[in-house]
Structure formats: structure tokens, C-alpha cells
Amino acid sequence: MEDLRYFSLVNNQDCTILVNSCDLYEDAWAPFFKLFKIQWPDCPYSFVLNTEFKSFETNCFDVTIFNSGDIPWSDRVLSALETIESEYILFFLEDFFLMSPVKIDVFNSALSYIRENKEIGVICFNPDVDSRAWKTKGSYGKYFTELKRGSIARINSVAALWRKDFLIKVLERGETPWEFEANGTLRGESCEEMVLCLSDIKNVPFKFHFCVGYGYGITSKSWLPKNKQLFDKYGIEVDFEKLGWYVPQPKRQKRSFKEKLSLIYKNPKELVGMISVKMKKLFRN
């Protein structure tokens, strides 16, 4: 693996694939790259795997390891971005395990649009965007449409093609991924750049299925059960015992109005938090 200090000197591509991870999830790295190689065998772009301290080797692709250290999630992303010279970033998390061949024409279309239109900040490949959040259906060819300002999670950490400068602009040091999505969405409201998304679920270029109930990936520091089925299909061996399996937590019963009132005396901080969540929902709607 080459030292990332020299990465910008040897990388002459305008797009780099950034896989953001952490040392705890190192068991996901080999499956991620093996599945990516299966689903996009001739991918021409270089990869950067961002993690705290650990190293990793694979013969699947040209992967550079960036060790960003024991700092908050958003700081680690910024540290990696500041070292990558490419103007565009294809962003993944380590448990976005690809399940079918990449629709290269859709990705190439996205790359062409973001290259040719300086006003585009990011093109999200999230298939679950509510069509009511679209500004105009199909406003960018047959694949993409603009997301309205004020849409929930308009800025998020799903697979997306970013203009690197815009990603740096909506990031802020000291944040978790969830804080980035909430606060980054608010910060993005004042930015000139547009956010595009897919206008048809059938055109998802990178198909992965993260869902706590019945999908694939990692949640609460544990494997979701269906990962084994996917890995077995492609002959990928993983020691699942290291992280263990996710066990759903029982649903919390809703408090009665009387119980909520009692929080004024018992736990005022929790009451303030509940009110804050309600206000954010009202603001977004």
C-alpha cells in the first residue's frame, strides 16, 4: 500500500472512491472490496480506505489506506479529503455491500453532469427519497432530479458522488455521522449548490440494502443476520463471532401525557430533548 502523503502526486484522476470506516469494522473491508470487484470488475478509479490506525491489503483494487487517528468522525473525513487531490468523491461506508452489477451508465451520467454543471454539489444514489421532495422530476436527463431545499436528510452519508469542495463545506469538525446528516442538511440550506437524487428506483447504480429489520450491513456494532446469506453466495468467509449478531431491542412504549408532564420534575433534560426533536420535525415540515 502506498503512503497517502504521496497520493495526490500519483493520482491523475478527477474522481476518487472514498470508503469511510473505523478500526472496529475491519472485518467488513474484505467483503466490501470483494463484492465491489465482483459487481464492477474493471472499475478504473482509485480507492482510499479511511480508518483510525489499522492497515489492510487487498488484491482487488488499488486501495490506499489513510489513518486519520482517534478523532471525531467528521474530522476524520475532512482529514482524508484534505489529502485527496481529486475534484470529485464517490463516497461509501464500509458496509454498503454491493448486491448486483453496477449500472455504469448511470454513474457515468452523474459524473458528466457534475463535471459540466458547477452548481451541482452532490448527486445522491439513495433510492428511498420521497418524490414529494423532488423539485422537478427528471430535471437532469432520465436519471436525476433536484431535491428541494428543506427536504429531510437532504445531506446524508449514503452512497453519493460529491463535489469535494461542497462536501468540505457542509462538514463540520466534532460531529458524528448522524449529527452530520442533521446539521449538514441545515448548513446546506444556505449553500448555492444544488443536491440531485435519482428519479427512479430502477436506476440505482450501486445496489446495497441496509435495513436493520431485514437488510445487510452493520448496526449497533454488530452484523445484521442476512450478511451471511450474501457472503455465502459469493464464497466470502468472515468470522462473524468477532462482532456478533445484532439482536433487535424491544420497542419502547410511548409515554402518556401525564408521564411527560412528570418529566418537568424528574428529568427536565429529557423533556427538553423531546421538545427539541418535535421542533426540528416541525421546522423540516
Side-chain angles (χ1 to χ4, degrees):
M1 296 296 168
E2 62 185 305
D3 189 322
L4 195 71
R5 288 175 297 175
Y6 304 106
F7 183 70
S8 61
L9 301 178
V10 299
N11 177 36
N12 57 5
Q13 300 170 333
D14 68 349
C15 181
T16 294
I17 302 174
L18 175 59
V19 183
N20 209 65
S21 187
C22 62
D23 288 358
L24 178 64
Y25 297 153
E26 64 175 324
D27 288 341
W29 301 344
F32 175 90
F33 287 106
K34 286 178 181 177
L35 287 168
F36 209 107
K37 182 71 173 178
I38 290 167
Q39 308 302 2
W40 194 0
D42 56 351
C43 175
Y45 303 103
S46 297
F47 289 76
V48 172
L49 173 61
N50 184 20
T51 189
E52 290 102 335
F53 302 104
K54 293 192 175 182
S55 61
F56 172 71
E57 292 188 1
T58 178
N59 57 8
C60 292
F61 293 105
D62 173 17
V63 179
T64 300
I65 305 300
F66 179 65
N67 293 132
S68 46
D70 186 16
I71 54 178
W73 184 87
S74 58
D75 296 60
R76 295 199 302 104
V77 178
L78 282 166
S79 295
L81 292 174
E82 288 164 359
T83 318
I84 298 172
E85 191 178 64
S86 303
E87 188 174 354
Y88 310 106
I89 301 293
L90 178 55
F91 186 89
F92 287 90
L93 298 180
E94 79 289 296
D95 62 343
F96 291 174
F97 302 123
L98 298 188
M99 302 170 59
S100 62
V102 171
K103 290 185 169 65
I104 301 170
D105 57 334
V106 180
F107 172 72
N108 286 341
S109 179
L111 193 54
S112 294
Y113 272 119
I114 204 167
R115 282 170 175 162
E116 296 165 7
N117 298 274
K118 299 297 183 183
E119 67 274 17
I120 298 175
V122 59
I123 301 177
C124 302
F125 301 125
N126 182 2
D128 300 323
V129 175
D130 191 328
S131 61
R132 289 174 294 182
W134 296 347
K135 189 169 183 179
T136 306
K137 182 178 179 180
S139 51
Y140 282 82
K142 61 181 180 179
Y143 296 131
F144 310 110
T145 189
E146 183 182 352
L147 269 180
K148 294 177 184 175
R149 295 178 187 274
S151 303
I152 295 175
R154 184 168 172 263
I155 300 297
N156 55 66
S157 56
V158 298
L161 178 64
W162 290 84
R163 188 177 299 278
K164 185 181 69 174
D165 291 346
F166 180 61
L167 180 52
I168 291 173
K169 189 184 295 187
V170 295
L171 280 161
E172 187 164 305
R173 295 187 181 278
E175 291 186 336
T176 66
W178 304 277
E179 289 170 335
F180 161 67
E181 294 191 338
N183 301 332
T185 293
L186 294 176
R187 287 191 289 269
E189 292 297 293
S190 60
C191 297
E192 295 179 356
E193 289 88 347
M194 297 187 303
V195 174
L196 302 190
C197 68
L198 290 168
S199 54
D200 194 328
I201 191 172
K202 292 182 292 187
N203 295 324
V204 176
F206 305 100
K207 186 180 179 183
F208 58 92
H209 189 189
F210 176 84
C211 177
V212 174
Y214 48 86
Y216 309 82
I218 298 172
T219 193
S220 300
K221 302 179 181 180
S222 304
W223 290 104
L224 292 173
K226 290 193 75 174
N227 287 294
K228 189 176 188 307
Q229 175 184 330
L230 177 64
F231 297 169
D232 285 350
K233 178 180 178 180
Y234 293 102
I236 298 172
E237 295 184 5
V238 172
D239 180 3
F240 292 106
E241 299 306 315
K242 289 173 69 175
L243 286 179
W245 298 103
Y246 172 71
V247 178
Q249 299 300 310
K251 287 188 177 180
R252 184 176 170 182
Q253 289 187 338
K254 289 186 177 180
R255 290 189 178 93
S256 67
F257 180 70
K258 186 176 180 180
E259 287 174 317
K260 290 177 182 177
L261 282 178
S262 70
L263 289 174
I264 297 173
Y265 307 100
K266 293 180 179 178
N267 195 340
K269 284 187 178 180
E270 187 173 353
L271 180 63
V272 170
M274 290 169 58
I275 294 171
S276 175
V277 170
K278 291 287 185 184
M279 292 301 292
K280 284 180 180 178
K281 286 183 179 179
L282 287 172
F283 174 76
R284 289 173 179 171
N285 293 334

